[in-house]
Amino acid sequence: MTSSTLRFPRPLRPGDRIGVTSPSAGVSGDAAARIDFCVAWLRERGYDVEVGECMDGTGLTSAPAPQRAAELTRMLADPALACVVPPWGGETAIDLVDLLDWDALGEAEPTWLVGFSDLSTVMLPITTRLGWATVHGDNLADTPYAVPDGLLHWLDLVGGDGPFVQRDSGLVTDWWRFEEDPRATTWKSVGEGRWEVLGGGRVDVTGRLVGGCIETIAPLAGTPYGDVRAWAATLDEPTVVYLEACEDHAVDICRHLHGMRLAGWFEHAAAVLVGRTSAPDHPDLTQREAVVDALGRLDLPIVLDLEIGHVPPHLPLVNGALARVVVDGETREITQHLR
């Protein structure tokens, strides 16, 4: 695969159909009211929304793995659907990656797949095996939240032609609990944050974006579903790898990152972007020190504390997009081209 064979789905427009399915965790209790609100929110903006069968939230996953894989395959291969988004992540989406019908998907036109957290486990091979662009952004439960200045909504990215410029918002926020307000549309402000270059200096790099949630994609490294080294070797440009930690403490994150390094994830990288995290430190190792221990030897620029992942607000990134990242003085921005 070369950069010219990367496949970007057509822009999503009001009137198009969006599929909702749970490749990992389903919906129950107070969360159901939130998801109902989010579906209604999309419909009010003119989108046709199809809610799938794999949505049950009474267990670890929404349905048995073969059923989840079949529904996701069907939605992604259905030309009537322009986009698929899960309610949220979960724990074990890895159990379905080898059950997807990769031959059927390979013959289909690309469909937008949007989400983060455990959905990274699925989006990564969709991009590296099929060449489809996928969006690391909000899940459905986050979609109604208003976007802070500097950032873009994922609907803006999948609905336009670009280029798309986003800048450091300077904000650290949090979700409203579903039992507090299932109809929340404004992030809960909890602090301030800024992108930072590890070791100081400036960064100005361009490359193809690839990445996701460390805890869910690290187990794919070295497998046919996470062979970023082989994928990157086929591209005409270097990669820009972005990573974020959900909840594992620093020692586990350190191990994960070393494993990804040993699997060649960074061999063709121009830079690494690291999302801010609330994951715990180890008494003898902080989350930042975990990044330095595993990736500091790469001699690559590392940009820390971006708004990606499990500490909102969310800066959506398109796997496969050609991105320029600039951190220089007061300039902190990323520009994505969908080509």
Short mmCIF file of all heavy atoms in Angstrom, two decimals, residues 175-226:
data_model
loop_
_atom_site.label_atom_id
_atom_site.label_comp_id
_atom_site.label_asym_id
_atom_site.label_seq_id
_atom_site.Cartn_x
_atom_site.Cartn_y
_atom_site.Cartn_z
N TRP A 175 -16.30 14.70 32.00
CA TRP A 175 -17.68 14.40 31.65
C TRP A 175 -18.60 14.67 32.84
O TRP A 175 -18.17 14.61 34.00
CB TRP A 175 -17.83 12.92 31.29
CG TRP A 175 -17.13 12.50 30.04
CD1 TRP A 175 -17.64 12.46 28.79
CD2 TRP A 175 -15.80 12.01 29.93
NE1 TRP A 175 -16.73 11.99 27.90
CE2 TRP A 175 -15.58 11.70 28.57
CE3 TRP A 175 -14.75 11.79 30.84
CZ2 TRP A 175 -14.37 11.20 28.10
CZ3 TRP A 175 -13.56 11.30 30.37
CH2 TRP A 175 -13.37 11.01 29.02
N TRP A 176 -19.85 14.95 32.53
CA TRP A 176 -20.90 14.92 33.55
C TRP A 176 -21.39 13.49 33.69
O TRP A 176 -21.61 12.80 32.68
CB TRP A 176 -22.06 15.84 33.16
CG TRP A 176 -21.68 17.29 33.17
CD1 TRP A 176 -21.32 18.04 32.10
CD2 TRP A 176 -21.60 18.14 34.31
NE1 TRP A 176 -21.01 19.32 32.49
CE2 TRP A 176 -21.18 19.41 33.84
CE3 TRP A 176 -21.85 17.96 35.68
CZ2 TRP A 176 -21.00 20.50 34.69
CZ3 TRP A 176 -21.68 19.05 36.52
CH2 TRP A 176 -21.26 20.29 36.04
N ARG A 177 -21.51 13.01 34.89
CA ARG A 177 -22.01 11.66 35.09
C ARG A 177 -23.44 11.57 34.56
O ARG A 177 -24.22 12.51 34.66
CB ARG A 177 -21.97 11.27 36.57
CG ARG A 177 -20.55 11.16 37.13
CD ARG A 177 -20.55 10.71 38.57
NE ARG A 177 -21.31 11.62 39.42
CZ ARG A 177 -21.54 11.41 40.72
NH1 ARG A 177 -21.07 10.33 41.30
NH2 ARG A 177 -22.23 12.28 41.42
N PHE A 178 -23.78 10.41 34.02
CA PHE A 178 -25.09 10.25 33.40
C PHE A 178 -26.23 10.48 34.38
O PHE A 178 -27.26 11.04 34.03
CB PHE A 178 -25.21 8.86 32.79
CG PHE A 178 -24.17 8.56 31.75
CD1 PHE A 178 -23.56 7.32 31.70
CD2 PHE A 178 -23.80 9.52 30.82
CE1 PHE A 178 -22.61 7.05 30.74
CE2 PHE A 178 -22.84 9.25 29.85
CZ PHE A 178 -22.25 8.01 29.82
N GLU A 179 -26.03 10.07 35.64
CA GLU A 179 -27.08 10.27 36.63
C GLU A 179 -27.22 11.73 37.03
O GLU A 179 -28.27 12.15 37.54
CB GLU A 179 -26.84 9.40 37.88
CG GLU A 179 -25.52 9.63 38.60
CD GLU A 179 -24.40 8.75 38.10
OE1 GLU A 179 -24.45 8.34 36.90
OE2 GLU A 179 -23.48 8.47 38.88
N GLU A 180 -26.15 12.53 36.78
CA GLU A 180 -26.22 13.96 37.06
C GLU A 180 -26.99 14.69 35.97
O GLU A 180 -27.87 15.52 36.26
CB GLU A 180 -24.81 14.56 37.16
CG GLU A 180 -24.01 14.15 38.37
CD GLU A 180 -22.63 14.77 38.36
OE1 GLU A 180 -21.87 14.55 37.39
OE2 GLU A 180 -22.30 15.48 39.33
N ASP A 181 -26.61 14.43 34.72
CA ASP A 181 -27.24 15.13 33.61
C ASP A 181 -27.06 14.30 32.34
O ASP A 181 -26.04 14.44 31.65
CB ASP A 181 -26.63 16.51 33.44
CG ASP A 181 -27.33 17.33 32.37
OD1 ASP A 181 -28.29 16.82 31.77
OD2 ASP A 181 -26.91 18.47 32.12
N PRO A 182 -28.02 13.46 31.99
CA PRO A 182 -27.89 12.64 30.77
C PRO A 182 -27.99 13.45 29.49
O PRO A 182 -27.75 12.92 28.41
CB PRO A 182 -29.05 11.66 30.89
CG PRO A 182 -30.07 12.37 31.70
CD PRO A 182 -29.29 13.20 32.68
N ARG A 183 -28.33 14.74 29.59
CA ARG A 183 -28.48 15.59 28.41
C ARG A 183 -27.40 16.68 28.35
O ARG A 183 -27.56 17.69 27.65
CB ARG A 183 -29.87 16.24 28.42
CG ARG A 183 -31.00 15.24 28.44
CD ARG A 183 -32.35 15.92 28.64
NE ARG A 183 -32.66 16.80 27.52
CZ ARG A 183 -33.24 16.42 26.39
NH1 ARG A 183 -33.59 15.15 26.23
NH2 ARG A 183 -33.49 17.29 25.43
N ALA A 184 -26.28 16.48 29.02
CA ALA A 184 -25.22 17.49 29.07
C ALA A 184 -24.65 17.75 27.68
O ALA A 184 -24.42 16.82 26.90
CB ALA A 184 -24.12 17.05 30.01
N THR A 185 -24.40 19.02 27.40
CA THR A 185 -23.79 19.40 26.12
C THR A 185 -22.60 20.34 26.30
O THR A 185 -22.03 20.81 25.31
CB THR A 185 -24.83 20.10 25.21
OG1 THR A 185 -25.36 21.24 25.89
CG2 THR A 185 -25.96 19.14 24.85
N THR A 186 -22.21 20.61 27.54
CA THR A 186 -21.07 21.47 27.82
C THR A 186 -20.12 20.73 28.76
O THR A 186 -20.54 20.23 29.81
CB THR A 186 -21.51 22.79 28.48
OG1 THR A 186 -22.45 23.45 27.64
CG2 THR A 186 -20.31 23.71 28.71
N TRP A 187 -18.86 20.66 28.38
CA TRP A 187 -17.88 19.96 29.21
C TRP A 187 -17.78 20.60 30.59
O TRP A 187 -17.94 21.81 30.73
CB TRP A 187 -16.49 19.99 28.56
CG TRP A 187 -16.35 19.19 27.30
CD1 TRP A 187 -16.21 19.67 26.04
CD2 TRP A 187 -16.32 17.76 27.18
NE1 TRP A 187 -16.09 18.64 25.14
CE2 TRP A 187 -16.15 17.46 25.81
CE3 TRP A 187 -16.41 16.71 28.10
CZ2 TRP A 187 -16.07 16.15 25.33
CZ3 TRP A 187 -16.33 15.41 27.63
CH2 TRP A 187 -16.16 15.14 26.27
N LYS A 188 -17.45 19.79 31.58
CA LYS A 188 -17.18 20.28 32.93
C LYS A 188 -15.72 20.74 32.99
O LYS A 188 -14.80 19.93 32.85
CB LYS A 188 -17.43 19.16 33.96
CG LYS A 188 -17.22 19.57 35.40
CD LYS A 188 -17.24 18.34 36.32
CE LYS A 188 -18.56 17.61 36.27
NZ LYS A 188 -18.59 16.48 37.24
N SER A 189 -15.48 22.01 33.19
CA SER A 189 -14.12 22.54 33.22
C SER A 189 -13.45 22.17 34.54
O SER A 189 -14.01 22.39 35.62
CB SER A 189 -14.13 24.06 33.05
OG SER A 189 -12.81 24.57 33.10
N VAL A 190 -12.21 21.62 34.45
CA VAL A 190 -11.50 21.22 35.67
C VAL A 190 -10.08 21.79 35.73
O VAL A 190 -9.39 21.58 36.74
CB VAL A 190 -11.45 19.68 35.81
CG1 VAL A 190 -12.84 19.10 35.97
CG2 VAL A 190 -10.73 19.03 34.64
N GLY A 191 -9.64 22.50 34.69
CA GLY A 191 -8.28 23.03 34.77
C GLY A 191 -7.78 23.52 33.43
O GLY A 191 -8.55 23.68 32.47
N GLU A 192 -6.48 23.77 33.36
CA GLU A 192 -5.83 24.24 32.15
C GLU A 192 -4.67 23.32 31.80
O GLU A 192 -4.09 22.66 32.68
CB GLU A 192 -5.31 25.67 32.34
CG GLU A 192 -6.41 26.69 32.62
CD GLU A 192 -5.86 28.09 32.80
OE1 GLU A 192 -4.62 28.23 32.87
OE2 GLU A 192 -6.67 29.03 32.87
N GLY A 193 -4.34 23.27 30.54
CA GLY A 193 -3.22 22.46 30.08
C GLY A 193 -2.65 23.00 28.79
O GLY A 193 -3.33 23.71 28.05
N ARG A 194 -1.41 22.64 28.50
CA ARG A 194 -0.76 23.12 27.26
C ARG A 194 0.09 22.00 26.67
O ARG A 194 0.70 21.21 27.41
CB ARG A 194 0.15 24.33 27.56
CG ARG A 194 -0.60 25.62 27.86
CD ARG A 194 0.36 26.71 28.33
NE ARG A 194 1.31 27.11 27.30
CZ ARG A 194 1.05 28.04 26.37
NH1 ARG A 194 -0.13 28.61 26.32
NH2 ARG A 194 1.97 28.39 25.48
N TRP A 195 0.11 21.96 25.34
CA TRP A 195 1.02 21.04 24.68
C TRP A 195 2.46 21.41 25.05
O TRP A 195 2.80 22.58 25.19
CB TRP A 195 0.89 21.14 23.18
CG TRP A 195 -0.48 20.94 22.62
CD1 TRP A 195 -1.65 20.73 23.31
CD2 TRP A 195 -0.84 20.95 21.24
NE1 TRP A 195 -2.70 20.62 22.44
CE2 TRP A 195 -2.23 20.75 21.16
CE3 TRP A 195 -0.12 21.11 20.07
CZ2 TRP A 195 -2.91 20.70 19.94
CZ3 TRP A 195 -0.78 21.07 18.85
CH2 TRP A 195 -2.16 20.85 18.80
N GLU A 196 3.28 20.40 25.18
CA GLU A 196 4.67 20.64 25.60
C GLU A 196 5.60 19.70 24.85
O GLU A 196 5.34 18.50 24.73
CB GLU A 196 4.79 20.40 27.11
CG GLU A 196 6.18 20.57 27.67
CD GLU A 196 6.27 20.21 29.14
OE1 GLU A 196 5.20 20.09 29.78
OE2 GLU A 196 7.40 20.04 29.64
N VAL A 197 6.70 20.24 24.36
CA VAL A 197 7.72 19.42 23.71
C VAL A 197 8.64 18.85 24.78
O VAL A 197 9.23 19.61 25.58
CB VAL A 197 8.53 20.24 22.70
CG1 VAL A 197 9.62 19.37 22.05
CG2 VAL A 197 7.62 20.83 21.63
N LEU A 198 8.77 17.55 24.82
CA LEU A 198 9.65 16.92 25.79
C LEU A 198 11.08 17.39 25.57
O LEU A 198 11.62 17.27 24.47
CB LEU A 198 9.57 15.40 25.65
CG LEU A 198 10.37 14.58 26.66
CD1 LEU A 198 9.81 14.77 28.07
CD2 LEU A 198 10.36 13.10 26.28
N GLY A 199 11.68 17.96 26.61
CA GLY A 199 13.04 18.47 26.51
C GLY A 199 13.15 19.86 25.95
O GLY A 199 14.25 20.41 25.84
N GLY A 200 12.00 20.47 25.59
CA GLY A 200 12.01 21.83 25.05
C GLY A 200 12.27 21.86 23.56
O GLY A 200 12.35 20.84 22.87
N GLY A 201 12.41 23.06 23.03
CA GLY A 201 12.66 23.23 21.61
C GLY A 201 11.37 23.35 20.82
O GLY A 201 10.29 23.54 21.36
N ARG A 202 11.51 23.27 19.50
CA ARG A 202 10.38 23.44 18.60
C ARG A 202 10.19 22.18 17.77
O ARG A 202 11.14 21.37 17.61
CB ARG A 202 10.58 24.64 17.67
CG ARG A 202 11.81 24.54 16.79
CD ARG A 202 12.03 25.80 15.96
NE ARG A 202 10.94 26.03 15.03
CZ ARG A 202 10.86 25.48 13.81
NH1 ARG A 202 11.83 24.66 13.39
NH2 ARG A 202 9.86 25.76 13.00
N VAL A 203 8.99 22.02 17.26
CA VAL A 203 8.67 20.86 16.41
C VAL A 203 7.92 21.37 15.18
O VAL A 203 7.01 22.19 15.30
CB VAL A 203 7.80 19.84 17.17
CG1 VAL A 203 7.28 18.76 16.22
CG2 VAL A 203 8.57 19.20 18.31
N ASP A 204 8.31 20.87 14.02
CA ASP A 204 7.59 21.12 12.78
C ASP A 204 7.78 19.89 11.90
O ASP A 204 8.81 19.74 11.23
CB ASP A 204 8.10 22.39 12.09
CG ASP A 204 7.25 22.79 10.89
OD1 ASP A 204 6.47 21.95 10.39
OD2 ASP A 204 7.38 23.95 10.44
N VAL A 205 6.81 18.97 11.94
CA VAL A 205 6.94 17.70 11.23
C VAL A 205 5.65 17.42 10.47
O VAL A 205 4.57 17.92 10.80
CB VAL A 205 7.22 16.53 12.19
CG1 VAL A 205 8.55 16.72 12.91
CG2 VAL A 205 6.09 16.34 13.19
N THR A 206 5.77 16.58 9.45
CA THR A 206 4.62 16.16 8.65
C THR A 206 4.68 14.64 8.48
O THR A 206 5.75 14.08 8.24
CB THR A 206 4.63 16.84 7.27
OG1 THR A 206 4.55 18.26 7.44
CG2 THR A 206 3.45 16.36 6.42
N GLY A 207 3.52 13.99 8.60
CA GLY A 207 3.46 12.55 8.42
C GLY A 207 2.04 12.05 8.49
O GLY A 207 1.10 12.80 8.77
N ARG A 208 1.87 10.77 8.24
CA ARG A 208 0.56 10.11 8.28
C ARG A 208 0.23 9.69 9.71
O ARG A 208 1.02 9.04 10.39
CB ARG A 208 0.56 8.87 7.40
CG ARG A 208 0.76 9.16 5.91
CD ARG A 208 -0.52 9.65 5.27
NE ARG A 208 -0.27 10.15 3.91
CZ ARG A 208 -1.21 10.68 3.14
NH1 ARG A 208 -2.45 10.79 3.57
NH2 ARG A 208 -0.91 11.11 1.93
N LEU A 209 -0.94 10.09 10.17
CA LEU A 209 -1.35 9.81 11.54
C LEU A 209 -1.72 8.34 11.73
O LEU A 209 -2.39 7.73 10.89
CB LEU A 209 -2.54 10.67 11.92
CG LEU A 209 -2.27 12.16 12.14
CD1 LEU A 209 -3.57 12.95 12.15
CD2 LEU A 209 -1.50 12.37 13.43
N VAL A 210 -1.30 7.79 12.85
CA VAL A 210 -1.72 6.45 13.26
C VAL A 210 -1.54 6.35 14.77
O VAL A 210 -0.59 6.89 15.33
CB VAL A 210 -0.91 5.35 12.53
CG1 VAL A 210 0.57 5.37 12.92
CG2 VAL A 210 -1.52 3.98 12.76
N GLY A 211 -2.48 5.67 15.44
CA GLY A 211 -2.34 5.53 16.89
C GLY A 211 -3.63 5.15 17.56
O GLY A 211 -4.53 4.57 16.94
N GLY A 212 -3.71 5.49 18.86
CA GLY A 212 -4.89 5.16 19.64
C GLY A 212 -4.58 4.97 21.11
O GLY A 212 -3.58 5.49 21.62
N CYS A 213 -5.43 4.22 21.78
CA CYS A 213 -5.33 3.96 23.22
C CYS A 213 -4.27 2.91 23.48
O CYS A 213 -4.37 1.78 22.97
CB CYS A 213 -6.68 3.53 23.75
SG CYS A 213 -6.69 3.06 25.49
N ILE A 214 -3.26 3.25 24.27
CA ILE A 214 -2.12 2.36 24.48
C ILE A 214 -2.55 0.99 24.98
O ILE A 214 -2.09 -0.04 24.48
CB ILE A 214 -1.12 3.01 25.47
CG1 ILE A 214 -0.53 4.29 24.87
CG2 ILE A 214 0.00 2.02 25.82
CD1 ILE A 214 0.23 5.14 25.87
N GLU A 215 -3.42 0.95 25.98
CA GLU A 215 -3.78 -0.33 26.60
C GLU A 215 -4.46 -1.28 25.62
O GLU A 215 -4.35 -2.50 25.77
CB GLU A 215 -4.71 -0.11 27.80
CG GLU A 215 -4.05 0.56 29.00
CD GLU A 215 -4.26 2.06 29.02
OE1 GLU A 215 -4.27 2.69 27.93
OE2 GLU A 215 -4.42 2.61 30.12
N THR A 216 -5.18 -0.74 24.62
CA THR A 216 -5.93 -1.62 23.72
C THR A 216 -5.19 -1.94 22.43
O THR A 216 -5.44 -2.99 21.83
CB THR A 216 -7.31 -1.03 23.39
OG1 THR A 216 -7.18 0.05 22.46
CG2 THR A 216 -8.03 -0.56 24.64
N ILE A 217 -4.27 -1.06 21.99
CA ILE A 217 -3.57 -1.35 20.73
C ILE A 217 -2.22 -2.01 20.95
O ILE A 217 -1.73 -2.70 20.05
CB ILE A 217 -3.41 -0.08 19.86
CG1 ILE A 217 -2.63 1.00 20.59
CG2 ILE A 217 -4.77 0.43 19.40
CD1 ILE A 217 -2.35 2.24 19.73
N ALA A 218 -1.63 -1.85 22.13
CA ALA A 218 -0.33 -2.50 22.38
C ALA A 218 -0.40 -4.02 22.21
O ALA A 218 0.54 -4.61 21.65
CB ALA A 218 0.20 -2.13 23.76
N PRO A 219 -1.49 -4.69 22.65
CA PRO A 219 -1.55 -6.14 22.43
C PRO A 219 -1.61 -6.54 20.96
O PRO A 219 -1.37 -7.70 20.62
CB PRO A 219 -2.84 -6.55 23.16
CG PRO A 219 -3.04 -5.51 24.20
CD PRO A 219 -2.58 -4.24 23.54
N LEU A 220 -1.93 -5.59 20.06
CA LEU A 220 -1.96 -5.90 18.63
C LEU A 220 -0.59 -5.80 17.98
O LEU A 220 -0.40 -6.30 16.87
CB LEU A 220 -2.92 -4.94 17.91
CG LEU A 220 -4.39 -5.00 18.29
CD1 LEU A 220 -5.16 -3.90 17.56
CD2 LEU A 220 -4.98 -6.36 17.99
N ALA A 221 0.36 -5.13 18.64
CA ALA A 221 1.69 -4.94 18.06
C ALA A 221 2.33 -6.29 17.76
O ALA A 221 2.32 -7.19 18.59
CB ALA A 221 2.58 -4.13 19.01
N GLY A 222 2.87 -6.43 16.57
CA GLY A 222 3.50 -7.68 16.19
C GLY A 222 2.55 -8.72 15.64
O GLY A 222 2.98 -9.82 15.28
N THR A 223 1.24 -8.40 15.58
CA THR A 223 0.25 -9.29 15.00
C THR A 223 -0.17 -8.75 13.64
O THR A 223 0.12 -7.59 13.31
CB THR A 223 -1.00 -9.42 15.90
OG1 THR A 223 -1.82 -8.25 15.73
CG2 THR A 223 -0.61 -9.58 17.36
N PRO A 224 -0.91 -9.53 12.84
CA PRO A 224 -1.39 -9.02 11.56
C PRO A 224 -2.38 -7.86 11.70
O PRO A 224 -2.70 -7.22 10.69
CB PRO A 224 -2.07 -10.24 10.92
CG PRO A 224 -1.46 -11.42 11.58
CD PRO A 224 -1.19 -10.98 12.99
N TYR A 225 -2.85 -7.61 12.93
CA TYR A 225 -3.86 -6.57 13.15
C TYR A 225 -3.26 -5.28 13.73
O TYR A 225 -3.99 -4.33 13.98
CB TYR A 225 -4.96 -7.12 14.05
CG TYR A 225 -5.55 -8.38 13.48
CD1 TYR A 225 -5.11 -9.64 13.90
CD2 TYR A 225 -6.49 -8.32 12.46
CE1 TYR A 225 -5.61 -10.79 13.33
CE2 TYR A 225 -7.00 -9.48 11.88
CZ TYR A 225 -6.55 -10.72 12.33
OH TYR A 225 -7.05 -11.87 11.74
N GLY A 226 -1.96 -5.27 13.92
CA GLY A 226 -1.31 -4.08 14.45
C GLY A 226 0.12 -3.93 13.95
O GLY A 226 0.99 -3.45 14.67
#
